[in-house]
Amino acid sequence: MESAPTREAPRQRAAIRPQDGWFLVLAFAVIGADQAVKWLIRQTIERGDSLAVVWPLKLVHVTNSGAAFGMFQGAGPLLVMTSILGMIAIVVFLFNPSFAHPLMRLGLALMLGGAVGNLIDRVKDGEVVDFVKVPNFPAFNVADSAITIGVLVLVWAMLREPQPSQPGD
C-alpha cells in the first residue's frame, strides 16, 4: 500500500502582528529619549565641558565622528551604510517567527532604537553626541546604552532558549 505524499507545514513568514506593537513603541521611545537628552545636553553644556553629577558619574558634552570607543573616526559614510544595513537586519529578525520569544524581541527593539538614535545624529551632524562619562571608560549616550543592553538581553535570551531536540537524542 502506497502512502500519500506528505506536505511540509507551511513556513511561517515574517509579519508585524498587533501584539508586536509594543516592540516598535519601545524602539521609538529609545529614539525619543536619546534625541531629547542629546538636545538638552547641546543646550545646557558647552562642548568639551563637564558637570559632576554624583561620583563617579559626570555629564559631558563631547562628540564622536567614529563608532564605539572612538574607532573609525571620520568614516561617516561607511558608518551610515553599516547602520542602515544593521537596522534592516534587526527589523528582519524582529518580525521573524524564529525570534518570537519576547526577550529576544525586547533586545532587538532596544538595538533598533539605539541604532536609529545614533544614525539621526550621524546623518544630521556627521557626529554623535556623547554625554555620560564614568572613569576609565569612553563617554556614551542613551542610544549606546540601549544597543548594549539590547545585545546583552538578546544573548541572554538565546542562551536560555531551549534547543530543539535532535532525532536520536
Side-chain angles (χ1 to χ4, degrees):
M1 177 175 212
E2 279 186 47
S3 63
T6 59
R7 285 186 168 178
E8 285 187 32
R11 212 172 144 221
Q12 289 183 315
R13 295 179 10 187
I16 300 175
R17 301 174 312 227
Q19 65 264 33
D20 294 331
W22 75 271
F23 297 106
L24 293 175
V25 169
L26 176 60
F28 282 112
V30 168
I31 296 165
D34 178 66
Q35 291 299 301
V37 175
K38 288 174 180 173
W39 177 84
L40 188 61
I41 292 296
R42 285 186 201 105
Q43 300 304 312
T44 59
I45 301 175
E46 292 294 322
R47 188 179 289 192
D49 284 351
S50 67
L51 174 67
V53 177
V54 63
W55 188 89
L57 180 66
K58 286 185 185 177
L59 291 179
V60 298
H61 181 172
V62 296
T63 58
N64 179 4
S65 65
F69 309 114
M71 296 184 303
F72 305 112
Q73 290 297 316
L78 172 67
L79 295 172
V80 167
M81 288 305 300
T82 55
S83 293
I84 291 170
L85 291 173
M87 291 179 338
I88 291 169
I90 290 169
V91 169
V92 167
F93 285 119
L94 183 58
F95 299 109
N96 184 319
S98 301
F99 286 80
H101 192 283
L103 278 177
M104 289 183 183
R105 290 193 173 170
L106 171 68
L108 290 166
L110 289 168
M111 292 164 56
L112 179 62
V116 172
N118 278 340
L119 181 62
I120 290 169
D121 281 11
R122 209 174 294 290
V123 168
K124 186 176 68 152
D125 302 324
E127 57 192 10
V128 173
V129 172
D130 291 325
F131 54 85
V132 178
K133 182 72 176 117
V134 292
N136 305 314
F137 199 76
F140 58 95
N141 57 43
V142 171
D144 298 336
S145 299
I147 292 168
T148 302
I149 293 167
V151 167
L152 293 173
V153 168
L154 183 63
V155 168
W156 185 55
M158 292 173 91
L159 292 173
R160 293 189 63 221
E161 185 74 11
Q163 299 298 318
S165 59
Q166 300 293 324
D169 280 350

